[in-house]
Amino acid sequence: MSTTESASERAYAAIREGILDGTHRPGTMLGEAGLAAELGVSRTPVRAALVRLQDEGWITVYPKRGALVRGLSEKAVRDLADARLILESTAVQRATTERRAALAAQLEEGIDRQKQALAARDLNCFVELTIAFHRSFVEVGDNLVMLELNDRIADRQRFLLFSYGETLLARCADIIAEHAELIARLRADDVQGFSDVLRSHVGDTYGSDVSHMHV
């Protein structure tokens, strides 16, 4: 990898992370010069990084003006919820009873870590724990294609969770209780019940009302 390619990769990773974690909020205009100074690179790798991020749908580049950070439309968020519901519920359905029971035991330990993140008001930790929690439902199905699809949409979920910010922290206790209910359905080997709880858990993500926020 050449020096320019290395700088471009670093710029891409840094800018992308800033978008996902809410440092660069939707509607923010990012300038090449400012980003280059902030990241300690020239404008050339920054420009390459912005083109790549535009191709991925995170920003819109306006020549001589900068790059506008895009949010997720209501339809995009609804589509994300639908995709997650299909992947997670189908994978759990196709797993063996033994694998579902083992996953329930594994995830029960993670609930304590989620509670610790809430107590510390550590949004970053809670978001990552939540994403890993839901990924486990796809993993248990032992289908590599489904897992690949899940990982391709994980950054959209990460972006969405960080966008809720303090509002997400305010509802963490309810979210953790819903996670515990999903585990209980796994432990009981209640596949239909799991799907029903999951549908309620993710179905209203697009609402701005706090009571409709599910992760």
Side-chain angles (χ1 to χ4, degrees):
M1 180 180 293
S2 70
T3 302
T4 300
E5 289 174 330
S6 178
S8 177
E9 285 294 328
R10 293 200 312 272
Y12 166 78
I15 299 168
R16 181 172 175 273
E17 183 64 24
I19 293 172
L20 295 181
D21 69 13
T23 300
H24 304 312
R25 307 283 296 179
T28 301
M29 186 68 79
L30 304 176
E32 289 182 8
L35 289 170
E38 177 185 331
L39 300 174
V41 297
S42 70
R43 295 176 65 164
T44 298
V46 167
R47 189 175 300 117
L50 292 178
V51 169
R52 185 172 170 186
L53 289 164
Q54 178 172 244
D55 289 342
E56 294 177 359
W58 293 112
I59 62 173
T60 299
V61 175
Y62 295 95
K64 299 182 180 180
R65 290 179 54 196
L68 181 69
V69 179
R70 297 169 57 180
L72 292 178
S73 67
E74 288 190 0
K75 182 181 185 305
V77 177
R78 291 195 298 270
D79 289 349
L80 175 62
D82 286 345
R84 289 183 52 220
L85 176 62
I86 292 169
L87 288 172
E88 294 176 28
S89 61
T90 300
V92 166
Q93 179 182 11
R94 295 187 177 183
T96 64
T97 296
E98 292 75 18
R99 287 178 67 89
R100 286 194 288 265
L103 178 59
Q106 170 192 327
L107 291 179
E108 282 177 341
E109 300 176 4
I111 290 292
D112 287 337
R113 291 194 293 274
Q114 292 179 26
K115 291 178 179 178
Q116 291 167 9
L118 171 59
R121 297 189 63 79
D122 188 338
L123 179 63
N124 185 73
C125 181
F126 186 80
V127 167
E128 295 306 326
L129 287 172
T130 293
I131 290 172
F133 179 85
H134 282 279
R135 188 181 193 272
S136 297
F137 298 139
V138 183
E139 286 179 325
V140 78
D142 196 28
N143 183 311
L144 294 180
V145 174
M146 290 177 67
L147 192 58
E148 178 184 347
L149 292 172
N150 179 82
D151 290 345
R152 287 178 61 183
I153 64 175
D155 278 343
R156 299 180 197 177
Q157 183 67 3
R158 184 175 285 105
F159 173 86
L160 187 64
L161 296 181
F162 275 118
S163 74
Y164 287 136
E166 289 297 316
T167 308
L168 175 64
L169 285 174
R171 233 190 69 79
C172 276
D174 290 338
I175 292 167
I176 292 171
E178 292 162 9
H179 286 177
E181 179 62 22
L182 287 168
I183 294 172
R185 298 301 176 121
L186 280 180
R187 192 187 312 112
D189 204 33
D190 180 4
V191 175
Q192 184 57 54
F194 174 89
S195 295
D196 292 342
V197 172
L198 183 65
R199 181 176 293 105
S200 174
H201 185 57
V202 304
D204 293 327
T205 309
Y206 60 88
S208 57
D209 185 341
V210 177
S211 66
H212 289 165
M213 181 187 301
H214 302 276
V215 299

